[in-house]
Amino acid sequence: MSVQITSAIPLVFLIISEGGWNVNYSPKSICALNVSTVTMGCTYTYPSGYVIVKTLWSTELVEGNQEPSDISLDAEYRDRVEYLGDKQSNCTLILRDVTEQDQRKYYFRFITNTATGKWQGQDGVQLFVTDLQVETPEEVVEGDDVTLTCKTTCNLTGPSYIWYKNGVSLSSTTKALNLKTVSSEHAGSYSCAVLGQSHSSSAVILDVRYAPKRASVSITPSGEIVEGSSVTLTCSSDANPPVQSYNWYKEKTLLGKENTYIIPNISSEDSGEYKCKSTNQHGSKYSSVILNVMYPPKNVSVSISPSGEIVEGSSVTLTCSSDANPPVQNYTWFKEGGTSPVGSGQTYSFTISSSSSGWYYCVAQNKYGSHSSALSVILKGEKWVYTIMELD
Ligand SMILES: *[C@@H]1O[C@H](CO)[C@@H](O)[C@H](O)[C@H]1NC(C)=O
Ligand SMILES: *[C@@H]1O[C@H](CO)[C@@H](O)[C@H](O)[C@H]1NC(C)=O
Ligand SMILES: *[C@@H]1O[C@H](CO)[C@@H](O)[C@H](O)[C@H]1NC(C)=O
Ligand SMILES: *[C@@H]1O[C@H](CO)[C@@H](O)[C@H](O)[C@H]1NC(C)=O
Ligand SMILES: *[C@@H]1O[C@H](CO)[C@@H](O)[C@H](O)[C@H]1NC(C)=O
Ligand SMILES: *[C@@H]1O[C@H](CO)[C@@H](O)[C@H](O)[C@H]1NC(C)=O
């Protein structure tokens, strides 16, 4: 029961013919990773009595008497293909180092000992080749739940994925890498690969954005601030993207909108709390600093008590007061005509006598300087009177 096959006989006839001329590709479609090795599982059948003289794989599907080109002779494939099949029923082919250029259909062809006993498996096996690409959300803000995906253009069958952050492998083995409530520590360079395969995705930078944090105000020059000096306040913070606007406040008053605020000739009234508000599109952060401006004594004045009538033989107390920062450390009292102090401390007491007449000076001093004030006690006719004078 030999069937005489000629090229004129339509394929329909061949399919229904006894014994079965057939090529079965399994699977019919393959998704392969770039530079991986692909096994194209294949079996074939033909009516009994035929002897296979030639088998080949091709990228061409031919009709009639034409012969498809053999990929094992093609420079593009020659070094990468290996026929694992035989001349009976197995037509399995291995293709190594597949790339995107290999993405097409492949057909198995076998030729028997009879001139017309040839067959090419029409369906072919479809090869898809994919690379790996890390897909990240367009913008990631601290606190977001983020999913990175190791994207492929076709569905790889059941691979285990490997994820890398800054070249160090992570524990996730799935196609999706879930990052819960991300912080700036999650920022970095991510890539993915498939277990057992050399190809890996290119690295993608995950940029985690956040509102300003760790804000601070620095003062230059550092150290004590003395009245009359020039002081620069600088606001700094860590923010991503960088701070877009600054606002300086003292109490509720807006002072400036630069990164720095300069007080060229600082005075005691400039003491107090300065706040800087740093803002980017994700939020604001306040930071503050307290300026304590140092100055030598000022508004030094002497008062006398009792303040009423001064009577000879009575005791009077002079009190020196002043405004200074730091407060006056040393009050020193002098009497007109004398070179050495008559007293020290904030008060000076003495008993009124005929020799008490004259100017009494108080010198108030702190480490930044001194300032004086004076009071005179004089016997005018029958009465003692006093006069106060502020000195420069
Ligand atoms: C075809 O041959 C290959 C290599 O020897 C083998 O791995 C495969 O299992 C065979 N296929 C069938 C269907 O026998
Ligand atoms: C596939 O791998 C080759 C060799 O590493 C590389 O040159 C090519 O760009 C890769 N193709 C894709 C689509 O990634
Ligand atoms: C891959 O698989 C998914 C889910 O199984 C399916 O929705 C999708 O269409 C498949 N993609 C391709 C290219 O086959
Ligand atoms: C600084 O301020 C003081 C008091 O306001 C003033 O007397 C002085 O001239 C100022 N100095 C300069 C350099 O502007
Ligand atoms: C110091 O004196 C000035 C005027 O001489 C006055 O305006 C100011 O209020 C005084 N300051 C204090 C703390 O007494
Ligand atoms: C107080 O003033 C006197 C005289 O000027 C000085 O000798 C002394 O060291 C000063 N004391 C302090 C604590 O500043």
Side-chain angles (χ1 to χ4, degrees), residues 95-322:
L95 179 56
R96 297 182 213 284
D97 291 336
V98 294
T99 66
E100 258 185 335
Q101 284 78 48
D102 299 333
Q103 185 164 296
R104 56 161 49 86
K105 277 195 162 186
Y106 294 84
Y107 304 93
F108 176 63
R109 167 75 158 175
F110 62 93
I111 296 166
T112 65
N113 53 339
T114 67
T116 51
K118 303 171 177 181
W119 189 260
Q120 189 171 25
Q122 303 285 306
D123 297 342
V125 50
Q126 172 69 53
L127 177 63
F128 295 102
V129 179
T130 182
D131 59 344
L132 301 173
Q133 247 168 355
V134 174
E135 210 174 44
T136 63
E138 208 132 285
E139 186 178 81
V140 173
V141 179
E142 218 168 54
D144 286 354
D145 288 344
V146 173
T147 300
L148 306 188
T149 308
C150 192
K151 223 184 118 198
T152 53
T153 52
C154 56
N155 285 334
L156 291 168
T157 45
S160 255
Y161 289 86
I162 310 169
W163 283 93
Y164 298 96
K165 182 191 169 195
N166 300 329
V168 178
S169 65
L170 303 174
S171 61
S172 177
T173 58
T174 52
K175 190 180 174 80
L177 176 67
N178 294 309
L179 304 174
K180 283 242 170 277
T181 51
V182 296
S183 69
S184 51
E185 281 94 74
H186 288 98
S189 165
Y190 287 83
S191 59
C192 64
V194 163
L195 192 65
Q197 301 288 342
S198 60
H199 177 75
S200 69
S201 74
S202 39
V204 166
I205 302 295
L206 182 71
D207 183 24
V208 179
R209 310 207 152 209
Y210 47 90
K213 53 177 152 182
R214 289 190 285 274
S216 67
V217 176
S218 63
I219 307 169
T220 41
S222 59
E224 288 188 329
I225 301 159
V226 184
E227 202 168 55
S229 61
S230 171
V231 170
T232 301
L233 304 181
T234 305
C235 192
S236 53
S237 67
D238 175 15
N240 186 13
V243 171
Q244 284 141 341
S245 76
Y246 293 95
N247 289 285
W248 287 96
Y249 298 96
K250 188 180 183 209
E251 312 292 327
K252 290 277 188 307
T253 310
L254 178 66
L255 300 174
K257 289 179 153 290
E258 300 295 319
N259 171 224
T260 57
Y261 178 64
I262 299 170
I263 311 170
N265 178 13
I266 202 161
S267 81
S268 56
E269 287 89 67
D270 295 321
S271 284
E273 188 180 26
Y274 289 78
K275 280 188 184 155
C276 166
K277 182 187 180 190
S278 310
T279 307
N280 71 4
Q281 72 223 53
H282 302 294
S284 297
K285 177 85 177 180
Y286 280 93
S287 50
S288 70
V289 73
I290 290 172
L291 288 191
N292 183 16
V293 181
M294 303 296 176
Y295 51 93
K298 53 173 129 180
N299 291 3
V300 179
S301 68
V302 179
S303 62
I304 183 166
S305 82
S307 58
E309 209 175 311
I310 305 166
V311 185
E312 193 156 321
S314 70
S315 172
V316 293
T317 300
L318 306 184
T319 303
C320 191
S321 63
S322 81

Side-chain angles (χ1 to χ4, degrees), residues 20-160:
W21 294 83
N22 193 35
V23 175
N24 183 32
Y25 303 102
S26 176
K28 292 180 167 40
S29 169
I30 298 173
C31 173
L33 193 59
N34 191 18
V35 302
S36 69
T37 294
V38 165
T39 302
M40 297 182 192
C42 175
T43 54
Y44 61 110
T45 57
Y46 44 91
S48 57
Y50 287 90
V51 175
I52 305 300
V53 295
K54 192 178 179 192
T55 60
L56 66 95
W57 280 81
S58 181
T59 55
E60 301 167 340
L61 181 63
V62 296
E63 286 174 15
N65 269 332
Q66 289 171 295
E67 270 312 311
S69 61
D70 184 346
I71 60 172
S72 69
L73 304 174
D74 182 334
E76 288 292 319
Y77 290 97
R78 200 166 48 213
D79 304 328
R80 298 188 291 130
V81 291
E82 186 183 344
Y83 186 63
L84 290 188
D86 51 33
K87 287 193 171 163
Q88 277 87 49
S89 63
N90 191 334
C91 45
T92 299
L93 182 78
I94 280 186
L95 179 56
R96 297 182 213 284
D97 291 336
V98 294
T99 66
E100 258 185 335
Q101 284 78 48
D102 299 333
Q103 185 164 296
R104 56 161 49 86
K105 277 195 162 186
Y106 294 84
Y107 304 93
F108 176 63
R109 167 75 158 175
F110 62 93
I111 296 166
T112 65
N113 53 339
T114 67
T116 51
K118 303 171 177 181
W119 189 260
Q120 189 171 25
Q122 303 285 306
D123 297 342
V125 50
Q126 172 69 53
L127 177 63
F128 295 102
V129 179
T130 182
D131 59 344
L132 301 173
Q133 247 168 355
V134 174
E135 210 174 44
T136 63
E138 208 132 285
E139 186 178 81
V140 173
V141 179
E142 218 168 54
D144 286 354
D145 288 344
V146 173
T147 300
L148 306 188
T149 308
C150 192
K151 223 184 118 198
T152 53
T153 52
C154 56
N155 285 334
L156 291 168
T157 45
S160 255

